[in-house]
Amino acid sequence: MKKKHKILFVCLGNICRSPAAEGVMKALVEEKGVADEWEIDSAGIGGWHVGQQPDRRMLVHARQRGLNLNHRCRQVRATDFEDFDLIIGMDAQNCQDLRMLAPTVEAMDKVQPMSRWLDPAMGYDYVPDPYYEGSEGFELVLDLLQDGCQRLFHGLAHSPGQHQ
Ligand code: 4NP
């Protein structure tokens, strides 16, 4: 059997950006008919919202794009660094925090910023936190993620699992 691509998206609270990234990526692999070759999850650096659904505003904006986000907030745990081969932080602070949590140097190398897959023409080298923003903040996150996840998919789809 083919080795799965195992990806964990991480943001600060795990109620806005990373559950959206998870939902966008899951919809993409579903649409391509390769969902069984991918393991996709999300988690937060902080634990303030553990057990909760994504932020209501993100649920609404995602649904407008046909995406149903069904994730329950959870915090990053040490075993994530064994269970996933790519751990993608939404911004530079997320990546810095993840590298601090990584138990080994090999685990540290699994941490990559989402900016690697963002279109430079969109003018962002991170996925901005929409928590204190209005609707346009949530729309921007989804625009960046829908484009970035396409690039991530095409970058990884033809390589074997394990992306270190
Ligand atoms: P997220 O947004 O990192 O995209 O999920 C946030 C959600 C909640 C908080 C911070 C950021 N918070 O501080 O509770």
Side-chain angles (χ1 to χ4, degrees), residues 26-156:
K26 281 182 171 169
L28 193 57
V29 300
E30 196 72 51
E31 181 194 307
K32 305 277 186 191
V34 292
D36 58 334
E37 294 170 24
W38 293 71
E39 195 171 307
I40 300 160
D41 195 6
S42 67
I45 299 291
W48 312 286
H49 302 280
V50 167
Q52 292 177 14
Q53 284 196 313
D55 186 287
R56 181 136 294 280
R57 296 164 295 171
M58 185 52 92
L59 286 175
V60 168
H61 285 276
R63 198 169 301 132
Q64 284 168 359
R65 297 181 187 219
L67 297 167
N68 285 311
L69 307 182
N70 49 23
H71 176 75
R72 288 285 171 173
C73 176
R74 74 168 179 88
Q75 201 165 11
V76 174
R77 47 187 176 240
T79 49
D80 285 331
F81 291 93
E82 294 162 30
D83 296 341
F84 294 91
D85 32 56
L86 195 51
I87 301 181
I88 302 177
M90 294 294 117
D91 61 34
Q93 185 64 52
N94 300 154
C95 291
Q96 190 178 319
D97 292 341
L98 282 165
R99 290 192 188 103
M100 294 291 286
L101 291 169
T104 62
V105 173
E106 290 74 22
M108 250 186 221
D109 291 340
K110 294 182 175 185
V111 178
Q112 299 285 334
M114 188 65 204
S115 60
R116 258 190 76 173
W117 296 279
L118 297 181
D119 179 1
M122 290 178 83
Y124 282 86
D125 62 359
Y126 65 105
V127 181
D129 187 347
Y131 194 61
Y132 296 106
E133 305 295 331
S135 292
E136 59 301 333
F138 289 85
E139 287 295 305
L140 172 62
V141 167
L142 288 164
D143 286 345
L144 291 169
L145 291 174
Q146 285 191 308
D147 182 76
C149 285
Q150 288 277 356
R151 290 159 190 276
L152 174 60
F153 178 82
H154 289 295
L156 298 185

Side-chain angles (χ1 to χ4, degrees), residues 3-16:
K3 200 161 185 332
K4 280 191 176 188
H5 300 281
K6 298 178 183 174
I7 297 178
L8 181 69
F9 293 103
V10 174
C11 61
L12 182 58
N14 191 219
I15 53 169
C16 297

